[in-house]
Amino acid sequence: MTERVVVMGAAGRDFHDYFAALRDDPDRRVVAFTRAPGQNLGETEAGGDDAFPAALTPDGRGPIPIVPEAALAETVAERDADTVLFAYSDVAHGDVMHAASRALAAGADFGMLGPDSVQLDVDVPVVAVNAVRTGCGKSAVARAFADELDARGLDVAVVREPMPYGDLVEKRVERFADERDLAGLTVEEREEYEDHVAAGHVVYAGVDYRAVFERASDEADVLVWDGGNNELAFARPDYHLVLVDALRPDHGERYHPGEANLRRADAVLVTKENAASDDQVETARDSAARLAPADAPVYHSDSVVRADDPDAIAGRDALVVEDGPTLTHGGTPHGAGYVAAEDAGAASIIDPEPHAVGEIADVLAEYDHLDDVLPAMGYSEAQLADLEATIDAADPDVVVAGTPVDLDAVVDVDAPVVRARYEVAFHDTTPAELLDAGLGAVLDP
């Protein structure tokens, strides 16, 4: 009998699990996806409700409904589902079991697919940069790896895992090589790609990662996986570096699938040690040493923040706009923008909440740990308009943007925008030494 499956996710790992392990399995059939609360996927089937397109399913089975997660119990009943598979990232362990309890109460089995089921084999070497939480600094390390590989004369492609909004058929395989390729993307998608593209690296992403990796490996000698959130790598890595954030030192054992990443690491890098207390650094180092494999070395690093024009911040009232996912589901109180504003001597940092409008006000109300920063939310045109209106209503002298996106290019606001950027400064190793230790002669051109 065919097992009928509902996949819980957020238009990332769930779609990958479908293509990698479920789509062509004769013994299982996906009868619905659920979507995260508040997620704005848009219509993916013209004239209908949200759906995973028929063109991406085998044998013309038709579109697969994408329903709100709140309707999980009803969906299990209506679709006669046998099993609920969990495919989220960056989720507290307790919340995973709450999801399990909801599935079990609805009468379904509950589970998740592991790396051996969904990691794809690729024809070229893969260097994977993963983390235990969103916002640990993966992209900065991935850029450093890509820069080093490029300097060795190798053709490099970065593969990212975003949430693909809009037409999923068009987004089955995406390639970004210059600024023109980023036109029309949401702010959240641009945050995934823009810094890599600005550094001169080709970025691949999409919906069907089997096809994504095939296209990327045709073009590149080596791939750098820059994982979304704290997600597992979608390809089987030849070298797997996992980041632990010293500012959230115990999160490696509290969040899924970050703990699984840490337990599978070839090497661990503790980040942001310069911004953490001695006790936090010690806790992070202890967690890494306890959970990672015994033969995985643990390295150490700082996060170095700089503003493009600190003089434009000094003595002025600043509104700080940060990377959205790092603040929201990543749970951090601030990012590089706040640090840059303080370091540059801003006269004050404006609380955005009294000035927030529309969906931005809703976001700040939901994430009540955000007191002095504004997440760069732009999942839709309406949300982007609310972001612009909130910034203008705050009437800052200067906007300090810690998001990877060139904020000045996507919003039209009255105040000047100064970008804040960060880099990883290694204490006891270098990107070159890490690559040599992990891949050795495989990387010789």
Side-chain angles (χ1 to χ4, degrees), residues 192-209:
E192 309 285 356
Y193 314 136
E194 191 167 303
D195 275 357
H196 287 299
V197 170
H201 305 305
V202 173
V203 180
Y204 277 89
V207 179
D208 177 358
Y209 274 81

Side-chain angles (χ1 to χ4, degrees), residues 138-431:
K138 297 184 304 296
S139 291
V141 176
R143 286 196 306 275
F145 279 162
D147 289 344
E148 172 62 25
L149 293 165
D150 183 66
R152 297 185 185 194
L154 294 160
D155 291 329
V156 183
V158 176
V159 182
R160 288 240 51 180
E161 179 230 350
M163 293 183 288
Y165 297 99
D167 189 324
L168 300 183
V169 177
E170 285 188 0
K171 291 177 175 286
R172 185 170 190 165
V173 177
E174 297 179 284
R175 180 182 184 274
F176 305 97
D178 58 41
E179 175 66 28
R180 293 168 298 180
D181 296 330
L182 303 177
L185 297 180
T186 64
V187 168
E188 286 67 28
E189 288 171 299
R190 291 179 70 104
E191 284 178 334
E192 309 285 356
Y193 314 136
E194 191 167 303
D195 275 357
H196 287 299
V197 170
H201 305 305
V202 173
V203 180
Y204 277 89
V207 179
D208 177 358
Y209 274 81
R210 194 180 303 278
V212 168
F213 282 116
E214 286 176 358
R215 283 276 303 277
S217 59
D218 283 345
E219 177 174 356
D221 300 313
V222 60
L223 305 183
V224 177
W225 167 262
D226 180 2
N229 299 338
N230 64 349
E231 188 54 88
L232 301 165
F234 287 1
R236 200 175 311 281
D238 296 279
Y239 183 57
H240 185 204
L241 179 69
V242 176
L243 276 54
V244 173
D245 185 346
L247 292 174
R248 295 169 287 174
D250 61 344
H251 285 205
E253 48 199 311
R254 291 175 49 197
Y255 283 82
H256 169 81
E259 182 176 345
N261 273 324
L262 192 51
R263 291 182 179 276
R264 292 173 64 87
D266 293 321
V268 179
L269 180 68
V270 180
T271 62
K272 307 180 189 176
E273 292 191 358
N274 59 321
S277 68
D278 291 345
D279 286 345
Q280 287 177 312
V281 171
E282 183 178 356
T283 299
R285 293 180 177 186
D286 175 69
S287 175
R290 283 188 295 105
L291 296 180
D295 60 350
V298 179
Y299 300 103
H300 311 284
S301 67
D302 295 337
S303 179
V304 179
V305 175
R306 61 176 177 83
D308 283 359
D309 186 2
D311 290 342
I313 303 171
R316 292 175 172 83
D317 297 326
L319 179 68
V320 175
V321 181
E322 303 277 27
D323 170 62
T326 298
L327 297 185
T328 54
H329 58 77
T332 63
H334 59 75
Y338 185 90
V339 173
E342 282 206 322
D343 287 350
S348 70
I349 295 178
I350 298 169
D351 179 1
E353 189 163 13
H355 313 285
V357 301
E359 293 185 35
I360 301 302
D362 295 340
V363 170
L364 292 177
E366 179 178 358
Y367 297 97
D368 56 8
H369 68 284
L370 300 179
D371 295 326
D372 299 307
V373 295
L374 186 63
M377 308 299 288
Y379 287 87
S380 65
E381 290 298 324
Q383 198 171 64
L384 196 60
D386 288 342
L387 179 64
E388 288 183 352
T390 297
I391 294 172
D392 280 338
D395 193 26
D397 296 326
V398 62
V399 176
V400 183
T403 168
V405 171
D406 181 1
L407 191 66
D408 220 8
V410 296
V411 297
D412 182 13
V413 295
D414 295 333
V417 177
V418 176
R419 295 189 71 174
R421 309 172 194 265
Y422 74 93
E423 296 178 351
V424 173
F426 296 88
H427 292 188
D428 45 1
T429 188
T430 66

Side-chain angles (χ1 to χ4, degrees), residues 4-8 14-15 18 29-35 41 44-45 48-54 57 61-69 75 78-79 168:
R4 297 173 64 82
V5 177
V6 173
V7 183
M8 296 181 69
D14 47 353
F15 293 166
Y18 175 73
R29 180 165 182 172
V30 174
V31 296
F33 293 95
T34 70
R35 66 180 182 186
L41 284 174
T44 53
E45 286 284 309
D49 295 331
D50 290 347
F52 189 82
T57 66
R61 289 182 180 176
I64 301 172
I66 302 175
V67 302
E69 187 192 301
T75 302
E78 292 169 3
R79 308 296 294 180
L168 300 183

